[in-house]
């Protein structure tokens, strides 16, 4: 399996943490997605992460890749059946936080005169609501075992810190403490963006 990814993609990071922790043989290739015309043949959306299987088929987006990897590894404990829909909904919320922070950054990078302050505010407010919701659901994700919602939470929160602000750690100290502890899993250290 070949995983097309980038050094700072929070969506790609979820997948990268997961395959490392599952011990799956994935060949990860870092690309510049904005110039990756070749990717269109695998993923017409030209987005990362995209997983290319050994038979040439492609799997995307990050949620579908995650479900595929869990299935290949036969690790039902990473997505326990009795909590399946709550966990997947929680993951979708974390993805929405990542998306809001990513889109906010793209908006801030637009030339003066083309940026929309109201769009930036809307995206910041969405991300903030998501982080508050994460804090309110902390009792649901607390724990140490490998699970999709925990991986998504750390990737979302660290992406907020990376691209927006670290203020959430002061606002939600228990969430920050959990994030720091769970973030010590080796897969996170190996994928933490630093630029
Ligand atoms: N819903 C997708 C989102 C993927 C996504 O937005 N990836 C970004 C990088 S973080 C990307 O490829 N951006 C390039 C573009 O959209 O042109 C997923 O979960 O995989």
């Amino acid at each position: 399996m070949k995983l097309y990814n980038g050094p700072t993609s929070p969506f790609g990071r979820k997948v990268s943490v997961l395959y490392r922790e599952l011990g799956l043989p994935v060949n990860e290739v870092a690309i510049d997605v904005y110039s990756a015309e070749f990717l269109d043949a695998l993923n017409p959306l030209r987005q990362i992460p995209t997983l290319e299987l050994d038979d040439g088929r492609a799997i995307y987006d990050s949620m579908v890749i995650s479900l595929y990897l869990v299935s290949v590894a036969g690790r039902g404990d990473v997505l326990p059946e009795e909590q399946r829909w709550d966990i997947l909904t929680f993951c979708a919320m974390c993805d929405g936080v990542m998306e809001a922070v990513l889109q906010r950054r793209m908006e801030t990078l637009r030339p003066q005169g083309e940026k929309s302050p109201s769009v930036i505010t809307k995206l910041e407010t969405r991300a903030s609501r998501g982080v508050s919701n994460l804090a309110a659901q902390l009792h649901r994700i607390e724990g140490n075992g490998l699970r999709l919602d925990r991986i998504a939470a750390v990737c979302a929160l660290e992406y907020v810190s990376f691209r927006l602000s670290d203020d959430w750690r002061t606002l939600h100290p228990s969430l920050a403490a959990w994030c720091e502890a769970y973030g010590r899993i080796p897969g996170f250290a190996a994928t933490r963006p630093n630029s």
Side-chain angles (χ1 to χ4, degrees), residues 5 8-12 14-15 33-34 39 43 45-50 60-65 95 98-99 102-103 106 159:
N5 202 357
T8 61
S9 168
F11 304 102
K14 282 188 308 175
V15 171
V33 68
Y34 296 103
L39 199 59
N43 179 349
L45 305 177
R46 199 188 291 183
Q47 287 193 317
I48 49 173
T50 295
Y60 50 89
D61 60 5
S62 61
M63 182 86 94
V64 183
I65 299 172
D95 283 2
M98 296 174 203
E99 184 69 30
L102 174 67
Q103 291 307 325
M106 301 312 286
Y159 193 60

Side-chain angles (χ1 to χ4, degrees), residues 7-192:
T8 61
S9 168
F11 304 102
R13 190 177 180 213
K14 282 188 308 175
V15 171
S16 198
V17 170
L18 183 62
Y19 84 71
R20 287 162 195 269
E21 293 300 324
L22 291 174
L24 290 172
V26 173
N27 172 18
E28 186 169 339
V29 182
I31 61 168
D32 173 7
V33 68
Y34 296 103
S35 59
E37 282 181 34
F38 77 92
L39 199 59
D40 299 1
L42 292 168
N43 179 349
L45 305 177
R46 199 188 291 183
Q47 287 193 317
I48 49 173
T50 295
L51 185 72
E52 183 178 10
L53 303 184
D54 293 342
D55 65 6
R57 282 181 301 148
I59 297 193
Y60 50 89
D61 60 5
S62 61
M63 182 86 94
V64 183
I65 299 172
S66 299
L67 294 174
Y68 178 77
L69 295 179
V70 168
S71 165
V72 166
R75 284 283 301 274
D77 57 305
V78 178
L79 180 59
E81 188 56 40
E82 63 282 7
Q83 297 173 65
R84 183 179 182 86
W85 304 114
D86 287 341
I87 287 176
L88 291 179
T89 302
F90 184 94
C91 289
M93 195 271 290
C94 292
D95 283 2
V97 170
M98 296 174 203
E99 184 69 30
V101 174
L102 174 67
Q103 291 307 325
R104 174 200 168 272
R105 174 170 162 78
M106 301 312 286
E107 190 67 26
T108 61
L109 293 177
R110 297 179 72 181
Q112 279 303 338
E114 287 183 24
K115 300 182 216 262
S116 166
S118 66
V119 167
I120 292 171
T121 301
K122 177 184 166 177
L123 294 170
E124 287 177 356
T125 307
R126 176 177 295 165
S128 162
R129 275 201 313 271
V131 172
S132 297
N133 183 267
L134 249 148
Q137 297 204 60
L138 178 58
H139 61 283
R140 281 203 41 251
I141 54 169
E142 270 174 327
N144 299 320
L146 192 69
R147 246 180 36 189
L148 288 189
D149 51 352
R150 294 175 182 145
I151 294 174
V154 171
C155 290
L157 290 167
E158 289 194 355
Y159 193 60
V160 171
S161 291
F162 179 59
R163 287 292 191 217
L164 184 54
S165 160
D166 226 12
D167 290 353
W168 65 270
R169 293 182 194 272
T170 315
L171 284 169
H172 306 292
S174 302
L175 181 65
W178 172 80
C179 184
E180 200 179 320
Y182 197 73
R184 289 196 196 107
I185 286 177
F188 288 113
T191 57
R192 195 159 275 128

